[in-house]
Amino acid sequence: MSSEESRAIELLGRVAYGRVATSMRAMPFVVPARHIVSGGGVLIRLHEGLGHHQACSGSVVAYGADDFGSGSGSPWSVQFTGTAGLVEPTAAELAAFGPEPARVDGEPFVPVFLRIEPQFVTVHRLTYASSADSAPPRLHHAA
């Protein structure tokens, strides 16, 4: 695992939710998901009732998370691109996810789990100039 991948995994461990993106019937979609880092990959929990897991399983997906709303002085974003597959989490992984929501869009929550094995990882950091400097914010990309 490269140092950039290690950094991305470490950052992802700081937040609980992200977004998974793929396509369903040739239409792109993005859906929020709860995640944990496990075994060098990303394990996500979705609601089975919406059917998004069916489009993701066996497909290449992008999973992204960030701390943009945290008020951090140096916000970051990570993205993992890789193949997703349905899995049954271990007891330890289930515990790491924490409590499940009771309902999603009015229907009872039924969990389904996917593991994403990262093939490409990117980390973005926003760096702001000092308040005395009038330069615009810069986006740093590391892949």
Side-chain angles (χ1 to χ4, degrees):
M1 183 178 297
S2 74
S3 62
E4 192 65 21
E5 290 170 328
S6 296
R7 179 68 176 148
I9 291 284
E10 186 268 324
L11 290 169
L12 191 63
R14 295 183 186 184
V15 296
Y17 287 88
R19 291 155 300 282
V20 63
T22 194
S23 64
M24 184 183 300
R25 294 183 291 280
M27 299 297 292
F29 72 88
V30 177
V31 63
R34 172 74 170 94
H35 68 261
I36 62 168
V37 175
S38 176
V42 180
L43 190 62
I44 64 172
R45 180 178 71 194
L46 299 171
H47 172 50
E48 183 180 57
L50 299 175
H52 295 129
H53 66 289
Q54 294 169 332
C56 293
S57 183
S59 297
V60 173
V61 302
Y63 188 76
D66 59 64
D67 76 338
F68 291 159
S70 71
S72 165
S74 182
W76 55 265
S77 171
V78 298
Q79 180 174 305
F80 294 82
T81 303
T83 304
L86 290 168
V87 295
E88 285 296 324
T90 66
E93 290 169 335
L94 282 172
F97 273 108
E100 298 174 350
R103 304 183 86 62
V104 173
D105 297 334
E107 64 180 68
F109 180 78
V110 178
V112 63
F113 300 89
L114 294 156
R115 179 175 302 280
I116 303 168
E117 296 301 334
Q119 295 163 353
F120 301 101
V121 176
T122 56
V123 175
H124 299 281
R125 284 196 167 279
L126 295 173
T127 304
Y128 291 92
S130 67
S131 59
D133 190 351
S134 61
R138 300 178 313 272
L139 176 65
H140 294 281
H141 174 244

